[in-house]
Amino acid sequence: MFAPAALSLLLVISTVHGRPAPRAVAAARAAAAKQGSSLDRARAALAQVKRDPAKRRYRDQWERAIAGLERAARGRDAAPALLDAARARYALYRYSQVEADREAALRLAGRARKAGAREASAFARAVRNEMGEEEPSPVLAKKAPAAATPSPRPSTPTATPTPTPTATATSGTSTTEDEEPATDPALQEALRGAAEPGGAAVAVTEPARVSEVKSWSNGDYTRIAVYLSRQVGFTREEIPADGALPRRLALDLRPALLARGLAHPVGDALVQRVRAAQRGEDTVRVVLDLAGRDDLSIFPLDDPPRLIVDVGVREARIEAQASARRGQAAPARTEAEARADSTDREHAAVRPVRRIVVDAGHGGHDTGAIGPSGVREKDVTLAMARRLAQRLRARGFEVLLTRDSDRFVALEERTAIANARHGDLFVSLHANAHPRRDRRGVETYVLDVADDRYARRLAARENGAIDDDAEEGHEVRRILSDLDAQSSAAASRRLAETVQREVCGGVRSRVGEVRDLGVKSALFYVLVGARMPAVLVETSFISNRVEERRLASVRFQDEVAAGVVRAVERPHRTPPAARSL
């Protein structure tokens, strides 16, 4: 393979009587054509970043791809290369919610326009319109539906907080300020999926790589995470105990490869160990040696791709719930089992709230959103979490922080910590972000599937995904119907409504006016599998300059913490119990 710079060298060493040999010229040209232009290679590098979850999570991968496009901006390729760089920088902004990335995209668009890119002006106008700085472009204005009649679930990534049956604001206000036009085609082009320079979509044919297994557990709950290079299909098989062999769960992942043998000891009351081995050329079998009869929930999560196995749902209770849904009688149980189940129901109804898990969003290399003035979401959430923990402890609660420093904690680990430590409540603190700089307000979320584009887009950002209009996976939808998800759903919503009311009321009376955006639902990974009432609080919009200053202020952080404490101390469950949900 010859680099373009090697063409002249090849011609020099192949010169005959001062002229390049014809065969050398032909060979050099063929080699250069095979490799493609610098712009082709830069586009291919960007496509690889976009389609590879292991790469697109890291800024340095994006920066290298964008730098390659800028280096390719020479001669006749200057205009298209700079326009592609502007689009790539905007795509990075949609992933990172770092305002500086969007500003850089506008600067690159300006350079592309000067170089002769005809689409650069439309792109820049669309970005500014999204920011709320300009009227919609003529193309968008013709295609956008009337504000009073939102379009039904378009397939473009945009944000609209109009309530739907699964994403409903139960308090607060809703005005036309929230209603947005359809995504400008110029931005759709920037967010388009990975493609090779010629424009044809790239089919992912290489096997997934199974790289690592992690676990979190206590006496009655275990979470296993199997990490992959990309999502891949799998089948499950439950193998009953046989003599000295324990009950096993076998997961066959295909197509997949195992770089090295994996054996992960767990050694708790539910799972003895996890092991993986290559089974044939394109199949990896992951086996969990199970110690009990507990049922399982299995579901995939994205960015990074991983397969989650939750062990610790009693099989008899799952059977009883399934029978109730079918309108049939529950399976016969012994008198002792019936008494135990009745006792569990009573304890669940009056369970006192003693241990609260406070989750500070993001951390470490995951900065979260960054505001116009440089305030980072990970710093704000940690400050608020510490203040909330201090106030709760002063009121006699036991508090567990998922992180108490600037470190990265995976989303699946946060819920696993709460479950393993028997948390009674789970409160995740975040700062909101939106492409429109004038978006403002406070909103609180509970776990559910979101059909609303705005809620789905927000959840995608917090989940670390770039495809913010993707449908939730079937397996994740299924676990929402499990017993634990349903048993805490009503309590989660009651807690969310009280948190929303107390935080907004406290901020309004002690800090200043605040917009109450209500209680909504979306599929936040950090809430998936929580075995206790769990809420996620978007405390304000860090993308709004006024609210960015609020988020950085001690006064506002204290009031958010105080509002959550007031919400926790209010009774939410009948029959009443001291500090119970």
Side-chain angles (χ1 to χ4, degrees):
M1 184 73 70
F2 294 99
L7 177 58
S8 58
L9 177 61
L10 179 62
L11 295 178
V12 168
I13 64 176
S14 304
T15 296
V16 178
H17 302 299
R19 295 180 182 178
R23 289 183 180 179
V25 173
R29 286 176 177 171
K34 185 177 180 180
Q35 188 175 14
S37 69
S38 297
L39 178 55
D40 288 338
R41 294 193 301 276
R43 284 172 168 169
L46 175 63
Q48 189 176 27
V49 171
K50 282 188 172 182
R51 71 172 179 262
D52 188 343
K55 291 185 175 181
R56 68 172 177 253
R57 288 181 59 83
Y58 295 98
R59 172 172 289 274
D60 66 304
Q61 298 287 342
W62 286 90
E63 295 288 0
R64 278 199 291 268
I66 294 170
L69 289 167
E70 293 190 63
R71 285 194 300 271
R74 300 289 185 271
R76 65 181 181 181
D77 286 340
L82 288 170
L83 181 58
D84 283 356
R87 288 169 171 165
R89 183 66 68 175
Y90 174 78
L92 173 57
Y93 159 74
R94 288 290 289 265
Y95 188 84
S96 68
Q97 289 295 312
V98 174
E99 186 62 33
D101 289 324
R102 185 162 61 175
E103 296 288 352
L106 286 172
R107 289 194 296 271
L108 284 166
R111 292 174 59 192
R113 180 182 59 79
K114 292 179 180 178
R118 295 180 179 179
E119 300 175 25
S121 294
F123 171 75
R125 182 169 56 247
V127 172
R128 291 195 175 95
N129 174 60
E130 182 186 61
M131 296 161 66
E133 293 186 355
E134 286 191 359
E135 293 297 322
S137 66
V139 174
L140 180 61
K142 292 178 181 179
K143 294 186 177 182
T149 311
S151 59
R153 297 187 56 124
S155 60
T156 55
T158 184
T160 175
T162 306
T164 69
T166 57
T168 304
T170 57
S171 65
T173 60
S174 177
T175 71
T176 55
E177 179 182 336
D178 290 330
E179 296 174 359
E180 300 174 9
T183 302
D184 194 298
L187 301 186
Q188 293 180 26
E189 180 65 28
L191 297 172
R192 196 176 301 280
E196 287 293 352
V202 177
V204 180
T205 57
E206 67 273 12
R209 299 183 304 278
V210 182
S211 58
E212 187 180 13
V213 174
K214 292 183 179 180
S215 65
W216 303 267
S217 64
N218 67 0
D220 62 357
Y221 168 82
T222 300
R223 169 166 285 187
I224 305 293
V226 181
Y227 293 88
L228 312 166
S229 62
R230 69 174 180 87
Q231 288 295 359
V232 68
F234 69 92
T235 59
R236 61 179 284 178
E237 178 184 4
E238 293 193 43
I239 306 170
D242 183 11
L245 296 176
R247 174 187 170 218
R248 284 149 289 163
L249 170 69
L251 301 173
D252 285 338
L253 286 65
R254 181 179 180 185
L257 294 175
L258 187 64
R260 62 184 185 281
L262 288 178
H264 180 80
V266 180
D268 62 21
L270 301 178
V271 181
Q272 296 175 0
R273 64 171 177 161
V274 182
R275 47 199 167 89
Q278 194 73 40
R279 194 185 192 203
E281 293 184 356
D282 63 349
T283 302
V284 171
R285 168 161 281 199
V286 179
V287 178
L288 280 69
D289 293 337
L290 305 174
R293 295 179 60 249
D294 291 84
D295 205 358
L296 313 152
S297 288
I298 307 171
F299 53 94
L301 298 179
D302 291 315
D303 284 322
R306 64 268 202 207
L307 195 61
I308 305 296
V309 183
D310 276 351
V311 187
V313 181
R314 290 294 172 188
E315 188 175 30
R317 294 184 182 179
I318 293 294
E319 292 174 358
Q321 185 196 36
S323 297
R325 284 199 298 263
R326 293 192 300 266
Q328 301 171 353
R333 296 176 297 173
T334 65
E335 184 177 348
E337 288 175 330
R339 282 199 305 270
D341 187 60
S342 176
T343 301
D344 286 342
R345 293 175 189 269
E346 292 172 5
H347 283 318
V350 297
R351 182 182 66 186
V353 175
R354 298 189 181 94
R355 183 176 296 129
I356 300 172
V357 180
V358 178
D359 174 51
H362 306 278
H365 68 262
D366 178 12
T367 62
I370 299 180
S373 301
V375 177
R376 301 184 298 185
E377 182 179 2
K378 69 171 184 176
D379 300 329
V380 168
T381 58
L382 181 58
M384 284 191 290
R386 287 170 171 169
R387 294 181 189 281
L388 175 56
Q390 183 180 20
R391 284 178 173 270
L392 287 169
R393 287 167 180 150
R395 304 294 293 176
F397 293 98
E398 180 183 346
V399 181
L400 175 66
L401 289 166
T402 57
R403 68 177 184 98
D404 193 19
S405 61
D406 183 17
R407 68 184 185 93
F408 175 76
V409 181
L411 297 176
E412 63 270 19
E413 182 177 356
R414 296 168 189 254
T415 317
I417 290 171
N419 289 340
R421 295 292 296 272
H422 294 287
D424 299 313
L425 296 178
F426 182 85
V427 179
S428 188
L429 299 174
H430 291 259
N432 215 331
H434 192 275
R436 287 191 65 91
R437 290 174 170 174
D438 59 355
R439 187 58 60 88
R440 58 193 173 85
V442 176
E443 55 193 2
T444 305
Y445 280 84
V446 295
L447 178 67
D448 205 341
V449 175
D451 287 332
D452 179 87
R453 286 180 293 158
Y454 168 75
R456 187 164 59 249
R457 174 177 178 173
L458 173 62
R461 183 181 74 80
E462 298 293 7
N463 294 341
I466 192 171
D467 187 0
D468 57 2
D469 205 48
E471 295 291 336
E472 289 93 354
H474 171 74
E475 290 296 324
V476 179
R477 287 173 176 263
R478 182 182 61 78
I479 72 160
L480 297 178
S481 64
D482 282 354
L483 179 62
D484 283 338
Q486 288 298 314
S487 63
S488 60
S492 294
R493 183 161 288 275
R494 286 194 296 269
L495 174 62
E497 290 169 351
T498 310
V499 167
Q500 181 71 16
R501 184 171 59 250
E502 292 295 337
V503 169
C504 287
V507 170
R508 187 174 292 115
S509 63
R510 298 176 181 86
V511 178
E513 185 53 42
V514 62
R515 189 160 182 245
D516 183 349
L517 297 176
V519 174
K520 302 174 184 178
S521 59
L523 191 58
F524 288 97
Y525 288 172
V526 74
L527 302 180
V528 171
R531 304 174 69 188
M532 72 290 297
V535 299
L536 185 146
V537 188
E538 295 285 359
T539 54
S540 273
F541 282 80
I542 202 169
S543 51
N544 180 301
R545 288 187 180 275
V546 174
E547 295 204 338
E548 180 191 25
R549 288 194 294 271
R550 273 189 177 182
L551 285 163
S553 71
V554 172
R555 186 178 182 185
F556 180 81
Q557 294 171 5
D558 270 336
E559 192 48 52
V560 170
V564 174
V565 171
R566 290 192 298 271
V568 168
E569 290 190 312
R570 288 185 179 275
H572 300 282
R573 188 186 293 272
T574 302
R579 292 174 177 169
S580 67
L581 284 179

